[in-house]
Amino acid sequence: MATHRIWNPAAECMPREQLRALQLERLKDVVRREYDNVPLYRRRMDEKGVKPEDIRSLDDLQYLPFMQKTDLRDEYPTGLFAVPRREIVRLQGSSGTTGKPILAGYTRNDLDNWSEMMARTIGAANATADDIVQVAYGYGLFTGGMGAHQGATKLGAMVIPMSSGNTAKQIMMMQDVGTTILSCTPSYAIHIAETIHEMGIPLSSLKLRAGTFGAEPWTEAMRKRLETLLNIDALDIYGLTEICGPGVAYECLEKQGMHVNEDHVIVEIIDPVTEKPLPYGEKGELVFTTITKEGMPMLRFRTHDLCQLDASPCACGRTFVRMKRIMGRTDDMLIIRGVNVFPSQIESVLVSIHGVAPHYMLVVDRQGATDTLEIQVEITEDVFADTVGQLETLEKQINERIKSVVGISANIKLVAPKSIPRSEGKAKRVIDKRKL
Ligand code: AMP
Ligand code: ZN
């Protein structure tokens, strides 16, 4: 059984009844502020005929209009800010590389709350002032670097603000300084781990004991791989720019889903088609309402992330509801020959097969009227030396497993070790040529 250190037990273990009362009080307040200060939202509420005083219980949340990423685009750069410019002390933005970013503005209180949420997140890896946290998320507009940095600082840990990239130097710092916690995307963590092994560095020369990995989808199989390669506890963390960045939800050492920081956000699951709230346990789209944010509050923000909530008690003692791993996105879901396909399903199959590296690319195309799916999969060095016959057997094995799990057959293309581009931030794993 894991021992659990809890950064802020008064908040993280608050009795549910007390938590709900706090949520309601904060919800009423934020709805009022949003209505008074953000013209777009006021218009939407007026159209729906809802007034701030209509929010009398948490159930009344369902009568509020949704917000979407498109609203942030339409109101770019600062149309959704709810306070005067001089109260905004920080801008961050989305991680996309094309077009205009999504911008988020933070007041001083917002930064304090975000730091607190991330202190709980890193604290859930049992981190204390004795820890050395190496932040290998990108710094800049992207929230990952600054978020982890502020959280670890609040916790009193020593921070190494490496940002992403320069893998050899990352590893050198780990060795020389004795990093205990690594914070980066899971795909970059795999890259760092593989490089450590390639360089022949013994794990005994490292002090790494945990990793807080997020910002992109990953799988249980990848968790096992990272834990084995690095001899660490690999924890999932979740967040998005529109809500605050990382720290919206975080896993404890039970590794049974991520606790949502419910004193700062209210989480709902909705049916993405009917937009009706679903009961806990059902699969649907995550929707978040920020209840403490001042700079850019978000009411019922549709994430397009597919997930399930779990309200059962957690052995760690935290009372916050947990969200399972993100199962895909309503917009990333590929429909191939009429079948709904999530890249995460394919990844979990690949990572479970011996001789296959966790690096792959899905190429979707259309020949005539038929969709085609090619899965480029990297093989490991030892398998690379196999005979053509053995490689064909491996291809067949992969295809059969994909067929049984995902429900469609694919053209499997084994590629040489190191031939799929490595990512230092969020990995890109799908090329859909049908849209071109
Ligand atoms: P951004 O605002 O650019 O940081 O992107 C936020 C998005 O990254 C979320 O809506 C999710 O789709 C994805 N994301 C963040 N953390 C995770 C995670 N732990 N697992 C899966 N997807 C994640
Ligand atoms: Zn827990």
Side-chain angles (χ1 to χ4, degrees), residues 68 87 107 200 217 236 314 339 347 370 422:
Q68 301 251 24
E87 288 177 39
T107 64
D236 195 5
C314 183
V339 178
E347 175 174 312
T370 311
R422 299 298 189 256

PDB file of all heavy atoms in Angstrom, residues 68 87 107 200 217 236 314 339 347 370 422:
ATOM      1  N   GLN A  68     -17.011  27.592 -25.554  1.00  0.00           N
ATOM      2  CA  GLN A  68     -16.257  26.711 -26.450  1.00  0.00           C
ATOM      3  C   GLN A  68     -14.957  27.388 -26.843  1.00  0.00           C
ATOM      4  O   GLN A  68     -14.833  28.597 -26.739  1.00  0.00           O
ATOM      5  CB  GLN A  68     -17.031  26.524 -27.764  1.00  0.00           C
ATOM      6  CG  GLN A  68     -18.387  25.951 -27.619  1.00  0.00           C
ATOM      7  CD  GLN A  68     -18.437  24.525 -28.139  1.00  0.00           C
ATOM      8  OE1 GLN A  68     -17.414  23.847 -28.193  1.00  0.00           O
ATOM      9  NE2 GLN A  68     -19.610  24.081 -28.516  1.00  0.00           N
ATOM     10  N   GLU A  87      -5.410  44.669 -13.824  1.00  0.00           N
ATOM     11  CA  GLU A  87      -5.463  43.586 -12.828  1.00  0.00           C
ATOM     12  C   GLU A  87      -4.900  42.271 -13.364  1.00  0.00           C
ATOM     13  O   GLU A  87      -4.671  41.326 -12.617  1.00  0.00           O
ATOM     14  CB  GLU A  87      -6.896  43.370 -12.346  1.00  0.00           C
ATOM     15  CG  GLU A  87      -7.374  44.488 -11.446  1.00  0.00           C
ATOM     16  CD  GLU A  87      -8.815  44.312 -11.029  1.00  0.00           C
ATOM     17  OE1 GLU A  87      -9.226  43.171 -10.756  1.00  0.00           O
ATOM     18  OE2 GLU A  87      -9.531  45.335 -11.003  1.00  0.00           O
ATOM     19  N   THR A 107      -5.129  36.999 -12.928  1.00  0.00           N
ATOM     20  CA  THR A 107      -4.879  38.019 -11.906  1.00  0.00           C
ATOM     21  C   THR A 107      -3.885  37.414 -10.902  1.00  0.00           C
ATOM     22  O   THR A 107      -3.557  36.233 -10.971  1.00  0.00           O
ATOM     23  CB  THR A 107      -6.160  38.377 -11.128  1.00  0.00           C
ATOM     24  OG1 THR A 107      -6.594  37.213 -10.416  1.00  0.00           O
ATOM     25  CG2 THR A 107      -7.271  38.852 -12.061  1.00  0.00           C
ATOM     26  N   GLY A 200      23.735   4.032 -21.920  1.00  0.00           N
ATOM     27  CA  GLY A 200      24.297   3.062 -20.981  1.00  0.00           C
ATOM     28  C   GLY A 200      24.402   3.605 -19.559  1.00  0.00           C
ATOM     29  O   GLY A 200      25.242   3.161 -18.768  1.00  0.00           O
ATOM     30  N   PRO A 217      -2.623  12.738 -24.472  1.00  0.00           N
ATOM     31  CA  PRO A 217      -3.117  11.413 -24.092  1.00  0.00           C
ATOM     32  C   PRO A 217      -2.006  10.380 -24.003  1.00  0.00           C
ATOM     33  O   PRO A 217      -1.041  10.430 -24.770  1.00  0.00           O
ATOM     34  CB  PRO A 217      -4.078  11.045 -25.235  1.00  0.00           C
ATOM     35  CG  PRO A 217      -4.037  12.134 -26.217  1.00  0.00           C
ATOM     36  CD  PRO A 217      -3.079  13.180 -25.790  1.00  0.00           C
ATOM     37  N   ASP A 236      -0.364  10.586 -13.862  1.00  0.00           N
ATOM     38  CA  ASP A 236      -1.053  11.311 -14.920  1.00  0.00           C
ATOM     39  C   ASP A 236      -1.547  12.656 -14.380  1.00  0.00           C
ATOM     40  O   ASP A 236      -2.104  12.704 -13.285  1.00  0.00           O
ATOM     41  CB  ASP A 236      -2.245  10.456 -15.371  1.00  0.00           C
ATOM     42  CG  ASP A 236      -2.840  10.895 -16.703  1.00  0.00           C
ATOM     43  OD1 ASP A 236      -2.277  11.806 -17.339  1.00  0.00           O
ATOM     44  OD2 ASP A 236      -3.865  10.310 -17.108  1.00  0.00           O
ATOM     45  N   CYS A 314     -11.480   7.195  -2.542  1.00  0.00           N
ATOM     46  CA  CYS A 314     -10.132   6.770  -2.923  1.00  0.00           C
ATOM     47  C   CYS A 314      -9.353   6.423  -1.653  1.00  0.00           C
ATOM     48  O   CYS A 314      -9.500   7.094  -0.627  1.00  0.00           O
ATOM     49  CB  CYS A 314      -9.435   7.891  -3.681  1.00  0.00           C
ATOM     50  SG  CYS A 314      -7.793   7.435  -4.263  1.00  0.00           S
ATOM     51  N   VAL A 339     -16.164   3.157 -38.742  1.00  0.00           N
ATOM     52  CA  VAL A 339     -15.885   2.719 -37.373  1.00  0.00           C
ATOM     53  C   VAL A 339     -15.208   3.860 -36.613  1.00  0.00           C
ATOM     54  O   VAL A 339     -14.303   4.520 -37.140  1.00  0.00           O
ATOM     55  CB  VAL A 339     -14.955   1.475 -37.383  1.00  0.00           C
ATOM     56  CG1 VAL A 339     -14.622   1.037 -35.962  1.00  0.00           C
ATOM     57  CG2 VAL A 339     -15.607   0.343 -38.159  1.00  0.00           C
ATOM     58  N   GLU A 347      -2.714   2.774 -29.734  1.00  0.00           N
ATOM     59  CA  GLU A 347      -1.494   2.850 -28.945  1.00  0.00           C
ATOM     60  C   GLU A 347      -1.437   1.740 -27.889  1.00  0.00           C
ATOM     61  O   GLU A 347      -0.406   1.095 -27.711  1.00  0.00           O
ATOM     62  CB  GLU A 347      -1.402   4.209 -28.248  1.00  0.00           C
ATOM     63  CG  GLU A 347      -0.206   4.296 -27.322  1.00  0.00           C
ATOM     64  CD  GLU A 347      -0.025   5.687 -26.751  1.00  0.00           C
ATOM     65  OE1 GLU A 347      -0.074   6.652 -27.526  1.00  0.00           O
ATOM     66  OE2 GLU A 347       0.179   5.789 -25.534  1.00  0.00           O
ATOM     67  N   THR A 370     -13.101   4.168 -50.428  1.00  0.00           N
ATOM     68  CA  THR A 370     -12.759   3.393 -49.230  1.00  0.00           C
ATOM     69  C   THR A 370     -11.652   4.067 -48.423  1.00  0.00           C
ATOM     70  O   THR A 370     -10.618   4.459 -48.965  1.00  0.00           O
ATOM     71  CB  THR A 370     -12.278   1.977 -49.642  1.00  0.00           C
ATOM     72  OG1 THR A 370     -13.229   1.453 -50.562  1.00  0.00           O
ATOM     73  CG2 THR A 370     -12.163   1.073 -48.441  1.00  0.00           C
ATOM     74  N   ARG A 422      10.781  12.264 -33.043  1.00  0.00           N
ATOM     75  CA  ARG A 422      10.529  12.339 -31.604  1.00  0.00           C
ATOM     76  C   ARG A 422       9.966  13.705 -31.251  1.00  0.00           C
ATOM     77  O   ARG A 422      10.332  14.701 -31.870  1.00  0.00           O
ATOM     78  CB  ARG A 422      11.841  12.141 -30.830  1.00  0.00           C
ATOM     79  CG  ARG A 422      12.474  10.796 -31.078  1.00  0.00           C
ATOM     80  CD  ARG A 422      11.547   9.697 -30.594  1.00  0.00           C
ATOM     81  NE  ARG A 422      12.186   8.407 -30.607  1.00  0.00           N
ATOM     82  CZ  ARG A 422      11.961   7.469 -31.530  1.00  0.00           C
ATOM     83  NH1 ARG A 422      11.130   7.702 -32.533  1.00  0.00           N
ATOM     84  NH2 ARG A 422      12.569   6.305 -31.456  1.00  0.00           N
TER      85      ARG A 422
END
